Amino acid sequence: EVDHSYEYVTIPKVAMLKENEKKGHYKVYINKLHRTANDIHLNLTYEDPVWRQVVRDVRFRKALNLALNKKEFVNSIFLGFAKPSSIEGTDRNLEEAGRLLDEMGLVKGPDGFRLGPEGKKFIIPFEVSSYYDDFIQLGELVVEQWKEVGLQVTLKKIENSLWNSRVQSNQLQATIMFTPGPVQWARQEWGQNLWAPLWDKWWNTSGKQGEEPPAEAKALFNAIFKLRELPLQEALKKREDIRKNIGENYWYYIHSEDIVAPVAVNEKIGNFTDKGWGIAQNFAGEQWFFRN
């Protein structure tokens, strides 16, 4: 019923769409995705002292990264149309993840789930936008993978406008959302409004609102915002500083790279291509035409 599906087709739908191309009178194109697809964010500035004590400990964030099976994400969510991201490493090591959590004092209770520093079960409550189906599919895998190291993780899908409202009011503790920065690196959106809303507000208001970030987060913010001012070759080198900072601090989890962007287009539309970035195709309506 539409001539162009924009970005609302996710990779798991590709097989169904390909099967129905002739019947539906459309063509499926596979472009390079111009952003990540579904990164994992823990809100480091959520206003709860116990939560902050745990998630701001880099050992915790590293442990959770080690507990992620990124190869499973690539195979299950992206059907092989991606690769595990090397920014934070691709190795899975449940033993080391458990050791780090033990070192923090997050011991397991009688039911096998880990307790926070105050002796109560530590829960990671994901609230995920209804924007894309693959957010939920990824969330379900994360729930199971982090459960393997003794963490209780919950998952709830909420309507997108409610999700936006909760993001803006710093009410989400954990969520899943794409970010453009890791792919289109000259853009300034590396998820700062999701994994550190109050730090992001402080940065964007020159310290008038929000909370001042720690030095290592400031270094990241500064590198991101300076990048676009540099000549191309210098920017390409400085981009590695950003990747290194994220790789050392695990601010959020960029688990997959080189993802594709499927789009379904009316077969009568001409001058459409599967070469280049998805965003270039999605916003190039002025170059298309309808065949008779």
Side-chain angles (χ1 to χ4, degrees):
E1 297 178 0
V2 298
D3 293 317
H4 187 290
S5 65
Y6 186 55
E7 294 181 34
Y8 299 110
V9 174
T10 54
I11 292 172
K13 298 288 180 64
V14 170
M16 178 190 71
L17 286 169
K18 289 294 291 183
E19 289 174 6
N20 290 279
E21 271 185 321
K22 189 171 292 186
K23 178 182 176 182
H25 302 289
Y26 59 81
K27 178 174 174 57
V28 176
Y29 294 85
I30 305 294
N31 296 295
K32 295 187 294 183
L33 187 59
H34 49 277
R35 51 171 173 75
T36 60
N38 41 30
D39 300 322
I40 303 164
H41 305 263
L42 303 181
N43 183 354
L44 306 184
T45 65
Y46 181 73
E47 294 183 357
D48 176 83
V50 173
W51 173 265
R52 288 188 175 196
Q53 180 181 343
V54 174
V55 301
R56 289 190 180 184
D57 190 321
V58 72
R59 293 174 296 178
F60 182 77
R61 302 199 300 273
K62 181 177 181 180
L64 267 57
N65 184 68
L66 288 169
L68 294 175
N69 187 336
K70 298 175 184 180
K71 292 180 181 178
E72 183 177 7
F73 295 162
V74 166
N75 293 329
S76 298
I77 305 299
F78 304 120
L79 307 182
F81 289 102
K83 70 178 185 182
S85 173
S86 61
I87 293 177
E88 293 152 303
T90 59
D91 292 335
R92 191 180 198 223
N93 190 330
L94 295 179
E95 183 178 349
E96 176 63 9
R99 187 194 69 77
L100 289 168
L101 296 174
D102 290 340
E103 184 180 280
M104 289 178 61
L106 300 180
V107 299
K108 292 182 179 180
D111 60 358
F113 288 113
R114 294 186 183 271
L115 307 177
E118 87 292 25
K120 296 180 181 178
K121 188 183 300 182
F122 188 81
I123 301 174
I124 302 176
F126 276 95
E127 292 182 80
V128 179
S129 166
S130 57
Y131 203 73
Y132 287 122
D133 291 340
D134 61 334
F135 290 177
I136 293 297
Q137 293 171 312
L138 178 78
E140 291 170 345
L141 290 176
V142 173
V143 168
E144 294 304 314
Q145 290 177 12
W146 284 353
K147 182 179 179 181
E148 291 184 64
V149 290
L151 291 168
Q152 180 164 347
V153 186
T154 62
L155 179 66
K156 179 181 180 182
K157 181 167 74 171
I158 60 178
E159 197 273 327
N160 191 58
S161 61
L162 174 60
W163 181 88
N164 278 313
S165 175
R166 290 180 63 75
V167 168
Q168 293 168 11
S169 57
N170 196 40
Q171 293 180 336
L172 294 187
Q173 291 176 255
T175 194
I176 294 170
M177 180 53 70
F178 57 77
T179 59
V183 182
Q184 290 188 316
W185 47 268
R187 293 179 63 173
Q188 299 173 355
E189 306 100 321
W190 290 68
Q192 307 95 305
N193 65 317
L194 299 172
W195 54 266
L198 297 184
W199 295 348
D200 186 52
K201 184 175 289 187
W202 182 92
W203 182 268
N204 289 318
T205 62
S206 299
K208 295 177 181 177
Q209 299 179 40
E211 291 182 10
E212 183 173 1
E216 57 271 23
K218 282 183 184 178
L220 175 67
F221 285 18
N222 187 61
I224 288 171
F225 281 81
K226 287 286 186 182
L227 194 64
R228 63 193 306 168
E229 301 172 3
L230 301 174
L232 177 59
Q233 293 305 316
E234 187 177 351
L236 290 173
K237 293 179 182 178
K238 290 295 184 181
R239 175 181 59 171
E240 296 307 311
D241 292 342
I242 296 174
R243 294 171 67 96
K244 182 179 179 181
N245 187 306
I246 294 175
E248 292 174 348
N249 291 285
Y250 307 96
W251 299 118
Y252 72 113
Y253 303 106
I254 307 165
H255 50 78
S256 303
E257 293 184 294
D258 292 351
I259 307 166
V260 302
V263 63
V265 181
N266 187 324
E267 64 182 10
K268 293 184 178 181
I269 291 181
N271 207 28
F272 200 91
T273 178
D274 58 0
K275 303 295 189 294
W277 295 107
I279 196 170
Q281 312 305 341
N282 296 341
F283 293 94
E286 69 277 4
Q287 72 183 32
W288 308 333
F289 64 90
F290 278 93
R291 301 185 182 94
N292 292 329

